[in-house]
């Protein structure tokens, strides 16, 4: 079956083009977004061939093995069900582009490190290279079937226009439409998010050709997502919605973290404050848990991108408003490390500190922008001896995040009890469930005294820890008041 659409080529509007139905789909980029998204798409649409491509041979080999390159609950089972049936992982990017109607582009768009916009603007190098490769393959192909190019990476507003300009100049004889289909996944729950999304957003040109392309992609999602949750917009609304969503979520975290500092000095409890405001239906309870700070690949990058856009369009007040979310997050991470030093008699030099958790959140091995990186670097500068345990972070990732020189002085353990043995203090940085059920009496017995514990996620039983003998510090809590309220520790 084929779906007819008007051609986008000037002077040829009487002709029609044919989109395959069902379309073949490929994705350029086999990372945290491309891999899981295409995997679920293949599971839910068994009649559609889905190919995930990447230049990295080791990554593709991992996707084709039992040891996937990323950890995500439920991902392994879905991959094994669809792989080899209608889901394929390949380094043959040209063949995938050539045979597919819908081409997702899910390549890195990191924050620029140099040049104009350094530290804020998105680096679109890989994105432009992808556009040029698509154009080159189309030019060399005898089959001039129309293409739908879908930006899946988080990109600045107007990026689709830039890609369309590159394609228009470099691609001859192939009709194409550029759409925006931002992802709204949360690592740790990505598979559930993909199975039952709050919404799927498809943005494109508001022309007959653009609307037809939007409908083609939207119909793929409608195979498992209710129609009312598949939203269609213009290109710029889709691009800006992604940045805005992440900015609003990060803003909530920085807001409650700012209140956590006030709670500590006034005797209020940030967990109680967060609950009290969260039951207000106008506010809601999500993203109101105080912590050592937010991390991940998207929040900081997207806010900085938003800040740069605002400044570029002559909106400095708006830029400064959103930049303060990042300022507060950086301050919270520094504040946590400073509190550790201050509580431990203003020095951690030579003291062993166990770091429990290095991923930016539980149920993922992703460490990008993790608060643990900043805390570890701050403590290392104070000459603390660090022992780190995380159930999913690889040894190679520690080296990448902390540097080879620092790693020569850091111990990486595969057992939390080993990391804590002989330590002067424990810092809980990631909210892994396993940390809630550790035998803290056993840990206390193995530690140097006085034994300190710093709960950066408020996941532990602070009263029980105090009864064991720990000196406890927790984000957003005046610990003396907490213990006085809940009852004095047992002698």
């Amino acid at each position: 079956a084929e779906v007819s659409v008007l051609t986008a080529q000037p002077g040829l509007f009487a002709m029609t083009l044919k989109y395959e139905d069902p379309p073949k789909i490929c994705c350029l980029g086999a990372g945290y977004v491309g891999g899981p998204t295409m995997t679920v798409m293949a599971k839910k649409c068994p009649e559609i061939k889905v190919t995930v491509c990447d230049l990295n041979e080791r990554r593709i080999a991992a996707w084709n093995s039992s040891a996937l390159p990323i950890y995500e609950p439920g991902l392994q089972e879905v991959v094994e069900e669809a792989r080899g049936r209608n889901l394929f992982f390949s380094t043959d990017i040209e063949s995938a582009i050539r045979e597919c109607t819908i081409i997702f582009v899910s390549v890195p768009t990191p924050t620029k490190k140099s040049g104009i916009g350094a530290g804020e603007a998105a680096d679109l190098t890989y994105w432009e290279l992808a556009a040029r490769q698509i154009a080159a393959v189309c030019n060399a192909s005898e089959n001039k079937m129309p293409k739908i190019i879908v930006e899946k990476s988080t990109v600045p507003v107007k990026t689709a226009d830039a890609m369309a300009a590159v394609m228009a100049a470099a691609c001859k004889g192939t009709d194409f439409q550029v759409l925006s289909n931002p992802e709204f996944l949360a690592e740790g729950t990505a598979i559930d998010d993909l199975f039952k999304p709050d919404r799927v957003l498809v943005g494109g040109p508001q022309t007959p050709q653009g609307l037809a392309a939007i409908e083609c992609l939207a119909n793929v999602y409608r195979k498992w997502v209710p129609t009312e949750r598949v939203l269609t917009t213009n290109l710029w609304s889709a691009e800006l919605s992604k940045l805005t969503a992440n900015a609003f979520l990060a803003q909530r975290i920085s807001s409650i973290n700012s209140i956590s500092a006030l709670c500590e000095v006034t005797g209020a409890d940030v967990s109680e404050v967060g609950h009290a405001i969260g039951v207000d239906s106008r506010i809601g309870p999500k993203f109101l848990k105080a912590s050592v700070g937010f991390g991940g690949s998207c929040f900081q990058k997207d806010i900085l991108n938003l800040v740069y856009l605002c400044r570029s369009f002559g909106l400095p007040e708006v830029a400064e408003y959103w930049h303060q979310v990042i300022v507060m997050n950086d301050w919270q991470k520094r504040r946590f490390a400073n509190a550790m030093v201050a509580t431990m008699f203003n020095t951690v030099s030579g003291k062993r500190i166990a770091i429990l958790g290095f991923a930016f959140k539980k149920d993922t091995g992703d460490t990008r922008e993790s608060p643990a990186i900043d805390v570890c670097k701050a403590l290392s500068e104070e000459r603390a001896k660090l022992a780190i345990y995380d159930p999913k972070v690889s040894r190679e990732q520690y080296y990448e995040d902390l540097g080879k020189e620092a790693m020569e002085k850091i111990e990486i353990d595969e057992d939390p009890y080993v990391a804590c043995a002989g330590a002067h203090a424990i810092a809980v940085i990631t909210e892994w469930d396993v940390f809630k059920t550790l035998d803290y009496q056993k840990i206390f017995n193995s530690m140097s005294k006085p034994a300190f514990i710093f709960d950066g996620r408020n996941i532990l039983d602070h009263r029980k820890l105090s009864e064991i003998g720990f000196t406890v510090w927790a984000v957003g809590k005046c610990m003396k008041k907490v213990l006085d309220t809940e009852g004095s520790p047992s002698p």
Side-chain angles (χ1 to χ4, degrees):
E2 295 177 326
V3 177
S4 298
V5 297
L6 290 173
T7 179
Q9 298 181 35
L12 297 178
F13 287 106
M15 297 175 60
T16 61
L17 298 171
K18 307 292 183 181
Y19 284 138
E20 282 188 314
D21 186 20
K24 293 185 178 70
I25 294 173
C26 72
C27 179
L28 309 187
Y32 278 92
V33 174
T37 302
M38 295 300 108
T39 295
V40 170
M41 190 171 286
K43 174 181 170 60
K44 292 295 188 178
C45 307
E47 75 282 7
I48 295 178
K49 180 181 178 181
V50 179
T51 305
V52 184
C53 303
D54 204 289
L55 291 171
N56 189 320
E57 294 182 359
R58 287 182 60 188
R59 178 174 293 173
I60 291 299
W63 278 110
N64 282 316
S65 74
S66 59
L68 302 184
I70 64 174
Y71 172 74
E72 190 67 41
L75 176 60
Q76 184 80 42
E77 294 80 1
V78 181
V79 168
E80 291 177 356
E81 178 183 339
R83 189 173 58 197
R85 181 191 68 192
N86 67 318
L87 174 64
F88 304 91
F89 297 93
S90 174
T91 56
D92 189 353
I93 296 175
E94 291 189 6
S95 293
I97 293 173
R98 192 178 301 115
E99 75 168 357
C100 288
T101 298
I102 301 177
I103 304 168
F104 286 86
V105 181
S106 183
V107 296
T109 53
T111 303
K112 289 183 70 174
K113 294 182 178 180
S114 60
I116 297 173
E120 293 180 349
D123 185 344
L124 299 179
T125 300
Y126 298 113
W127 179 257
E128 183 175 341
L129 289 173
R132 294 186 183 280
Q133 184 169 19
I134 294 169
V137 172
C138 291
N139 286 339
S141 176
E142 294 182 1
N143 184 350
K144 300 300 181 182
M145 61 185 286
K147 305 287 186 183
I148 300 173
I149 302 165
V150 185
E151 48 176 40
K152 199 66 178 171
S153 311
T154 303
V155 294
V157 181
K158 302 284 189 177
T159 297
D161 275 358
M163 171 167 260
V166 171
M167 290 292 297
C171 185
K172 305 299 181 183
T174 299
D175 185 273
F176 62 88
Q177 295 295 319
V178 180
L179 306 184
S180 174
N181 176 217
E183 54 85 14
F184 297 99
L185 306 180
E187 288 186 45
T189 59
I191 300 303
D192 287 340
D193 294 343
L194 288 163
F195 281 157
K196 297 179 180 180
D198 291 334
R199 78 292 204 193
V200 171
L201 187 57
V202 181
Q206 300 300 290
T207 62
Q209 304 79 30
L211 294 172
I214 290 173
E215 192 67 10
C216 181
L217 178 57
N219 282 338
V220 173
Y221 284 108
R222 289 179 183 130
K223 293 180 183 295
W224 80 93
V225 180
T227 297
E228 63 272 15
R229 294 192 178 187
V230 180
L231 311 181
T232 59
T233 69
N234 69 38
L235 268 174
W236 308 305
S237 294
E239 290 176 332
L240 186 56
S241 294
K242 166 63 174 177
L243 297 182
T244 304
N246 278 342
F248 271 59
L249 294 174
Q251 180 194 47
R252 286 172 69 94
I253 298 173
S254 280
S255 293
I256 197 66
N257 280 345
S258 71
I259 298 302
S260 74
L262 186 59
C263 288
E264 291 164 24
V265 297
T266 60
D269 184 320
V270 74
S271 298
E272 294 176 348
V273 173
H275 176 71
I277 65 174
V279 295
D280 186 327
S281 60
R282 298 168 300 174
I283 298 174
K286 295 185 177 180
F287 286 81
L288 289 179
K289 294 187 181 299
S291 69
V292 62
F294 62 74
S297 64
C298 289
F299 280 3
Q300 178 162 311
K301 176 171 70 74
D302 289 358
I303 292 174
L304 290 173
N305 199 336
L306 185 63
V307 169
Y308 180 72
L309 282 172
C310 293
R311 287 179 176 156
S312 299
F313 288 111
L315 301 169
E317 292 83 3
V318 181
E320 191 57 36
Y321 175 84
W322 287 109
H323 188 252
Q324 193 60 34
V325 175
I326 299 296
V327 172
M328 180 57 61
N329 192 55
D330 290 341
W331 179 75
Q332 183 78 343
K333 290 182 287 188
R334 288 195 307 271
R335 195 172 75 82
F336 183 84
N338 291 343
M340 292 183 67
V341 175
T343 304
M344 297 174 70
F345 315 114
N346 289 317
T347 179
V348 294
S349 180
K351 295 178 181 177
R352 179 182 175 91
I353 298 177
I355 303 294
L356 297 187
F358 198 79
F360 83 91
K361 63 184 290 189
K362 72 174 185 177
D363 294 333
T364 180
D366 193 353
T367 65
R368 287 176 290 182
E369 304 296 341
S370 173
I373 298 172
D374 297 86
V375 172
C376 286
K377 287 181 176 179
L379 295 175
S380 293
E381 289 177 0
E382 296 287 338
R383 299 184 179 180
K385 296 180 179 179
L386 304 183
I388 307 175
Y389 168 76
D390 188 286
K392 290 298 177 182
V393 176
S394 68
R395 184 172 292 270
E396 292 76 18
Q397 192 61 53
Y398 291 116
Y399 275 88
E400 183 175 330
D401 291 330
L402 297 176
K404 183 178 179 181
E405 183 177 346
M407 285 299 297
E408 292 175 353
K409 304 173 185 177
I410 295 175
E411 179 182 312
I412 303 300
D413 293 305
E414 297 182 359
D415 184 327
Y417 294 101
V418 173
C420 295
H424 294 77
I426 298 169
V428 178
I429 308 295
T430 310
E431 71 278 23
W432 286 103
D433 290 337
V434 67
F435 298 152
K436 301 176 185 178
T437 58
L438 294 177
D439 184 343
Y440 283 99
Q441 181 66 64
K442 174 182 175 181
I443 288 173
F444 178 79
N445 294 341
S446 73
M447 292 176 65
S448 297
K449 307 300 185 297
F452 297 86
I453 192 160
F454 298 87
D455 188 354
R457 296 289 181 170
N458 285 337
I459 61 171
L460 304 181
D461 185 334
H462 303 138
R463 181 175 181 272
K464 184 176 180 180
L465 291 171
S466 183
E467 290 177 347
I468 289 172
F470 284 100
T471 298
V472 183
W473 187 96
V475 173
K477 297 176 186 284
C478 175
M479 294 313 300
K480 183 178 185 303
K481 185 173 180 63
V482 169
L483 297 174
D484 287 346
T485 301
E486 296 180 350
S488 301
S490 301

